Amino acid sequence: MWIKKLTDINIKIRTMNIDDYDGVMLLWKNIKGFRIRSVDDDFEHIEKFLKRNEGLSVVAIKDNHIVGSILSGHDGRQATFYHVCVDEKYRGLNIAQKMVDEAIKRLKFEGISKVTLVAFKKNYSGNLFWKNQNWKLNTEINSYELILNARNISDTVA
């Protein structure tokens, strides 16, 4: 199978800003199996996240449309990636890898030395991607959560 290089298809990786919200939300809503939280992913909370983690989140742009995203933030010790995705029409073009590389470069500049993320078990393509990138599946921990805001429900995109 022949795959164009990223430079051949004119994809730009740049800092995500709040003006990207509508385009990013459209991307998220079109990703099969993607989970959007009613509170955490609304405009106000994404704006807070971007301000708190200024310059760390990235988007991939093709023809003035957002085709990929990573929300990236840290607590001073370790970082977390959220909502890492690429539009299905643009997968296989190394876009996710370019976004991950850029986000990691920015975190290293901040002095962060560890990144974590959540990949839902049924997200087969996502789990395969991370495994192929040599990310370690952490089988030594259990993940727990406590819902502090019952309105913050997760909506899985079909």
Side-chain angles (χ1 to χ4, degrees), residues 20-48:
D20 295 321
Y21 181 80
D22 290 337
V24 168
M25 185 56 72
L26 182 64
L27 170 69
W28 294 346
K29 287 183 176 181
N30 285 306
I31 301 289
K32 183 180 178 186
F34 203 80
R35 292 188 181 179
I36 299 171
R37 294 197 184 269
S38 59
V39 175
D40 293 342
D41 295 326
D42 69 8
F43 183 91
E44 176 187 355
H45 288 87
I46 294 297
E47 183 176 40
K48 284 180 184 179

Side-chain angles (χ1 to χ4, degrees), residues 10-23:
N10 197 27
I11 299 287
K12 179 181 178 184
I13 309 298
R14 67 160 171 78
T15 301
M16 181 181 171
N17 61 65
I18 196 56
D19 294 333
D20 295 321
Y21 181 80
D22 290 337

Side-chain angles (χ1 to χ4, degrees), residues 57-124:
S57 297
V58 297
V59 290
I61 308 293
K62 167 75 173 149
D63 297 329
N64 295 317
H65 296 295
I66 294 172
V67 299
S69 74
I70 296 178
L71 287 178
S72 176
H74 70 81
D75 63 7
R77 295 180 55 219
Q78 71 179 22
T80 303
F81 285 169
Y82 306 92
H83 294 354
V84 180
C85 63
V86 173
D87 184 315
E88 291 181 19
K89 295 178 290 212
Y90 295 93
R91 291 182 183 169
L93 299 174
N94 209 26
I95 296 169
Q97 183 62 57
K98 296 289 185 183
M99 290 191 308
V100 168
D101 290 347
E102 181 61 28
I104 287 173
K105 179 177 85 173
R106 294 168 184 219
L107 291 168
K108 284 181 177 179
F109 183 78
E110 296 277 320
I112 303 301
S113 58
K114 179 181 178 181
V115 184
T116 63
L117 61 88
V118 170
F120 292 103
K121 290 184 179 191
K122 290 185 179 181
N123 180 352
Y124 303 113

